[in-house]
Amino acid sequence: MGFKQDFVWGAATASYQIEGAAYEGGKGLSNWDVFCKQPGNIYENHNGDVACDHYHHLAEDVALMKELGIKAYRFSFSWPRLMPQGTGTVNPDGIRFYQTLIDELLQNGITPYATLFHWDYPYALQKRGGWLNPASPQWFAEYTETIIGLFGNKIKHFFTFNEPQCFIGLAFTGREMAPKLQVTRRDILQMAHNVLLAHGKAVQLLRAGVPGCKIGYAPTGSTYIPASNSAQDIEAARKATFTVDVNGDWPMGISWWSDPIFFGEYPAEAAQAFGDDMPAIGPNDMKIISQPLDFYGHNIYNSTPVKMGENGQPVVQAFKPGHPRTAVNWPITPEGLYWAPKFLHQRYKLPVIITENGLSCHDVVSLDGKVHDPNRIDFTQRYLQQLQRAAQDGVEVDGYFHWSLMDNFEWAKGYSERFGLIYVDFETQKRTPKDSFYWYASIINSNGSLL
Ligand code: NOJ
């Protein structure tokens, strides 16, 4: 048995990375609009002002999705495009844009999987303290209600947040994400709590407002693979995947962001270690946060090998010299797509959807006018084979969204990285499907049997 008959083959994008039209159609400023204009934040001071100009190429882009044969498209709403000030007034042009997108998708037989928030935060709300403001979960609830009122009759699949590990964890430990601030651990924990509350409130509203909808979450988080097939190393990988590294990079881990949602409590040992830095938790907070979900989404690109140490703790293993890497030096570790879904399914007991997976290559348009990207085909084939193996082993795997449908604005790396199945010439906006596009189409068409 491989992938189930109704396996969801998809591709993903995010609003700020593709839409462009940053100052058009009544859109409000986002944190990323502002961040990109501060010299030094982004590779060669690129920005998302135009990006893939998807705002004006929507019909062409959906036609390409149809040609690709994807069953589902994961996109995100731009909060400031819909609500320029973050709360209050709703922008009619923003409504029209998403209405057209959703209608085009449905007319072409592509199921919309909408992410409510993929990092472009209304600047008006950032100025009011953003996720640190106690009202922030309510702001998000209002935004969610707006989406439900506008599109709830047509969209039945939702993800609340994309990678809180990055828009909180990286962004507020001074790393490359907007607004790139270094704040105290106490503030990060408070923001995390507010994001989790916002997630829970959104789920409650979606359940009530969109009967029968399916809801997930699209976190990421470091994942680990066993260095050998021994039971000890497998246990080491599981342990490393779910340990909260309180003295290290805990905001990039999985459990701090997922245990409260699925178990209704923060990881106890870590919470104790954080001591007085822990936020005040209201009597209903954990109940709100832990609304049942329908699937476990995970964005995964690579994993780290570990062995069980003599002291019963996982020990990270270095990659062998010459280990395969992507164009931007990310290690290639296909087995991660076997072990991570397995561990996540065992722990959180929900079907798994891979909400992102892919790689950046040095793609060029060749003299024959085509884009030959054998590395992307090889990478994706290896990863999908491992996902298939997980499915064969009984892990409930519901879907896979390739990152990304098209080359786009790769945050702090600007346009220096190309993650797409479709090549985008950012000068002319010409789209050229890469070889991997046709390969992926054939895999979808065979429901994975050609892997
Ligand atoms: C994760 C993020 O969700 C997405 O926005 C980003 O482009 C990809 N990873 C690749 O880095």
Side-chain angles (χ1 to χ4, degrees), residues 4 22 69 105 138 144 157 159 164 176 221 250 272 276 288-289 318 323 326 369 373 392 399 417 419 424 445:
K4 39 169 99 158
L105 290 170
Q138 198 45 46
T144 305
H157 298 84
F159 298 105
E176 56 185 33
W250 64 270
Q272 208 183 358
D276 288 349
I288 295 172
I289 289 171
H323 183 89
T326 71
D373 57 342
Q392 277 156 359
E417 296 194 11
F419 271 93
V424 177
N445 193 36

Coordinates of all heavy atoms in Angstrom, one line a residue, residues 4 22 69 105 138 144 157 159 164 176 221 250 272 276 288-289 318 323 326 369 373 392 399 417 419 424 445:
K4 N -2.7 6.9 -0.1 CA -4.1 6.7 -0.3 C -4.7 7.3 -1.5 O -4.1 8.2 -2.1 CB -4.9 7.1 1.0 CG -4.4 8.5 1.6 CD -5.4 9.0 2.6 CE -4.9 8.7 4.0 NZ -5.5 9.6 5.0
A22 N 2.5 45.7 -3.5 CA 2.6 46.0 -2.1 C 2.0 47.4 -1.7 O 1.5 47.6 -0.6 CB 4.1 46.1 -1.7
G69 N -1.4 19.8 -12.4 CA -2.3 18.7 -11.9 C -2.4 18.7 -10.4 O -2.9 17.6 -9.9
L105 N -9.5 28.9 -8.6 CA -9.1 27.6 -8.1 C -10.2 26.6 -8.2 O -10.0 25.5 -8.8 CB -8.6 27.7 -6.7 CG -7.3 28.5 -6.4 CD1 -7.0 28.7 -4.9 CD2 -6.1 27.7 -7.0
Q138 N -7.0 38.6 20.2 CA -8.3 39.1 19.8 C -8.2 39.8 18.4 O -9.2 39.6 17.6 CB -8.8 40.1 20.9 CG -10.3 40.4 20.8 CD -11.2 39.1 20.6 OE1 -11.0 38.1 21.3 NE2 -12.1 39.1 19.6
T144 N -9.7 36.5 11.7 CA -10.2 35.2 11.3 C -11.7 35.3 11.0 O -12.2 34.7 10.0 CB -10.0 34.2 12.4 OG1 -8.6 34.2 12.7 CG2 -10.4 32.8 12.0
H157 N -10.6 24.2 4.0 CA -9.4 23.7 4.6 C -8.5 24.9 5.0 O -8.3 25.8 4.2 CB -8.6 22.8 3.6 CG -9.3 21.6 3.2 ND1 -10.2 21.6 2.1 CD2 -9.3 20.3 3.6 CE1 -10.7 20.4 2.0 NE2 -10.2 19.6 2.9
F159 N -5.1 26.4 7.5 CA -4.0 26.3 8.5 C -4.0 27.6 9.2 O -4.2 28.7 8.6 CB -2.7 26.1 7.8 CG -2.6 24.9 6.9 CD1 -2.7 24.9 5.6 CD2 -2.4 23.6 7.6 CE1 -2.6 23.7 4.8 CE2 -2.3 22.5 6.8 CZ -2.4 22.5 5.4
P164 N 5.5 29.4 13.6 CA 5.8 30.3 14.7 C 7.3 30.3 15.1 O 7.8 31.3 15.6 CB 4.8 29.9 15.8 CG 4.5 28.5 15.5 CD 4.6 28.3 14.0
E176 N 17.3 36.5 11.2 CA 17.0 37.2 9.9 C 15.6 37.6 9.6 O 15.3 38.1 8.5 CB 17.6 36.3 8.8 CG 17.0 34.9 8.8 CD 17.7 34.1 7.7 OE1 18.9 34.3 7.4 OE2 17.0 33.2 7.2
G221 N 10.2 23.1 12.9 CA 10.9 22.6 14.1 C 11.9 21.6 13.7 O 11.7 20.8 12.8
W250 N 15.6 26.6 22.0 CA 14.2 26.1 22.2 C 13.2 26.7 21.3 O 12.2 26.0 20.9 CB 13.8 26.2 23.7 CG 13.7 27.6 24.2 CD1 14.7 28.3 24.8 CD2 12.6 28.4 24.1 NE1 14.2 29.6 25.0 CE2 12.9 29.6 24.7 CE3 11.3 28.2 23.7 CZ2 12.0 30.7 24.8 CZ3 10.4 29.3 23.8 CH2 10.7 30.5 24.3
Q272 N 9.1 24.5 34.0 CA 9.7 24.7 35.3 C 11.0 25.4 35.2 O 11.3 26.3 36.0 CB 9.8 23.3 36.0 CG 9.8 23.4 37.4 CD 10.0 22.1 38.1 OE1 10.2 21.1 37.4 NE2 10.0 22.1 39.4
D276 N 10.2 32.1 36.5 CA 9.4 33.3 36.5 C 9.2 33.9 35.1 O 8.5 34.9 34.9 CB 10.1 34.4 37.4 CG 10.0 34.0 38.8 OD1 9.2 33.1 39.1 OD2 10.8 34.6 39.6
I288 N -8.6 26.9 25.5 CA -8.7 27.6 24.2 C -7.6 27.1 23.2 O -7.9 26.8 22.1 CB -8.6 29.1 24.4 CG1 -9.8 29.6 25.2 CG2 -8.5 29.8 23.1 CD1 -9.7 31.1 25.7
I289 N -6.4 27.0 23.8 CA -5.3 26.6 22.9 C -5.4 25.2 22.3 O -5.0 25.0 21.2 CB -4.0 26.8 23.7 CG1 -3.6 28.2 24.0 CG2 -2.8 26.1 23.0 CD1 -2.5 28.5 24.9
A318 N 28.0 14.4 13.1 CA 28.4 15.3 12.0 C 28.1 14.5 10.7 O 28.2 13.3 10.6 CB 29.9 15.6 12.1
H323 N 28.9 15.0 2.2 CA 27.5 14.7 2.3 C 26.7 15.6 1.3 O 27.0 16.8 1.2 CB 27.0 14.9 3.7 CG 25.5 14.5 3.9 ND1 25.1 13.3 4.2 CD2 24.4 15.3 3.7 CE1 23.8 13.2 4.3 NE2 23.3 14.4 4.0
T326 N 22.2 21.0 -0.8 CA 21.5 21.8 -1.8 C 22.4 23.0 -2.2 O 23.4 23.2 -1.6 CB 20.2 22.4 -1.3 OG1 20.5 23.4 -0.3 CG2 19.3 21.4 -0.6
G369 N 15.9 27.2 -24.0 CA 14.7 27.9 -23.5 C 14.0 27.1 -22.3 O 13.0 27.6 -21.8
D373 N 16.4 21.1 -14.1 CA 16.7 21.0 -12.7 C 16.7 19.6 -12.1 O 15.9 19.3 -11.3 CB 15.8 22.0 -11.9 CG 14.3 21.6 -12.1 OD1 14.0 20.9 -13.1 OD2 13.5 22.0 -11.3
Q392 N 3.5 3.4 3.9 CA 3.4 1.9 3.8 C 3.6 1.3 5.2 O 3.0 0.2 5.5 CB 4.6 1.4 2.9 CG 4.2 1.4 1.4 CD 5.4 1.5 0.5 OE1 6.5 1.5 1.0 NE2 5.1 1.5 -0.8
G399 N -1.2 14.2 2.9 CA -0.9 15.1 1.7 C 0.5 15.6 1.8 O 1.3 15.4 2.8
E417 N 17.6 33.1 -4.1 CA 17.3 31.6 -4.0 C 16.1 31.3 -4.8 O 15.1 32.1 -4.9 CB 17.1 31.2 -2.6 CG 18.3 31.4 -1.7 CD 18.3 30.7 -0.4 OE1 17.4 29.9 -0.2 OE2 19.1 31.0 0.4
F419 N 13.2 28.4 -5.3 CA 12.6 27.2 -4.7 C 11.5 26.6 -5.6 O 10.8 25.7 -5.2 CB 12.0 27.5 -3.3 CG 12.9 27.3 -2.2 CD1 13.7 28.4 -1.7 CD2 13.1 26.1 -1.5 CE1 14.5 28.3 -0.6 CE2 13.9 25.9 -0.4 CZ 14.6 27.0 0.1
V424 N 10.7 31.9 -12.4 CA 10.2 33.2 -12.7 C 11.3 34.2 -13.0 O 12.3 34.3 -12.3 CB 9.4 33.8 -11.4 CG1 8.9 35.2 -11.7 CG2 8.3 32.9 -11.1
N445 N 0.0 12.4 -11.3 CA -0.9 11.6 -12.2 C -0.9 10.1 -11.9 O -1.9 9.5 -12.0 CB -0.4 11.9 -13.6 CG -1.5 11.4 -14.6 OD1 -2.7 11.5 -14.3 ND2 -1.0 10.9 -15.7

